[in-house]
Structures are given as C-alpha cells and as structure tokens.
Amino acid sequence: YRAGSDLPDGPRSFIFKDRVREVTPLLESIEDVGTARGKTTAQVALNWCISKGTIPIPGAKNLRQVEENLGAAGWRLSAGEMEALDAAARKVPRELVQNIFQTK
C-alpha cells in the first residue's frame, strides 16, 4: 500500500491511512532491494524475516500469492541489504504491530 493508493476496506483502512505514510521510507528500501534482486516487495520482506532467523507465516488468498511467497526462499539478503533495511526500519516512528489487540 502507498499513501493515496487504494487501502484495505473496513477497520484496517483507518489504521493503514496513518501508518502507510510513516513506513514509506522502509517500503522504498524494500522496493530498492527487490528491484536490484528481481524480487517483489513481499519476497524481500519475507526473506528479511527469514534472514533474521524467524519463521514467517505468510497468508495467501490465491495460488499467485502462494507462488510469490515461495520466491522468498532459496536466497539470502546480503549484509549490506540487511543493514539498509534495518536502518530504514529504525526510522519508523512507532512499532508496527500486526494484531492491534496484541498485549505484551
């Protein structure tokens, strides 16, 4: 999602409306890596998680998304790419929480 682009329907649109502007520099960094690697934004984001030692559980609504998610496997971000993404993430002013009802 981008500022000014179509946002999700329902309650998520209220959250995304504000947050998408805050994370734009991070999204741009992810896109830069994707362009250089021939990967999608989703593939870079998933590989970033994998490269940090986590096991992401991506959702997929259709076969195309499943195939795209699989494109995150079989390669690793370089140390420079990791640092660029980590630096961009540190500039996000608030923590990103997937579940707004999540507690500590």
Side-chain angles (χ1 to χ4, degrees):
Y1 298 109
R2 290 291 198 172
S5 69
D6 292 333
L7 297 176
D9 294 327
R12 292 188 324 153
S13 67
F14 296 110
I15 297 166
F16 275 67
K17 178 177 57 175
D18 293 330
R19 299 308 308 271
V20 75
R21 284 184 184 86
E22 295 175 359
V23 299
T24 295
L26 176 57
L27 291 173
E28 289 171 348
S29 292
I30 292 171
E31 288 174 349
D32 290 345
V33 171
T35 298
R37 289 255 188 183
K39 299 290 183 181
T40 67
T41 302
Q43 290 168 336
V44 173
L46 288 170
N47 192 277
W48 186 22
C49 293
I50 294 166
S51 294
K52 288 180 152 296
T54 65
I55 301 171
I57 304 172
K61 294 181 180 178
N62 56 52
L63 181 59
R64 183 193 61 77
Q65 290 177 343
V66 171
E67 291 170 344
E68 182 177 9
N69 291 345
L70 289 172
W75 60 282
R76 289 288 183 267
L77 294 166
S78 70
E81 291 166 332
M82 291 284 292
E83 179 51 39
L85 296 176
D86 289 342
R90 285 191 295 272
K91 294 177 184 176
V92 174
R94 293 187 282 168
E95 181 178 345
L96 296 175
V97 177
Q98 178 67 26
N99 180 350
I100 63 171
F101 301 106
Q102 180 177 339
T103 60
K104 299 259 181 208

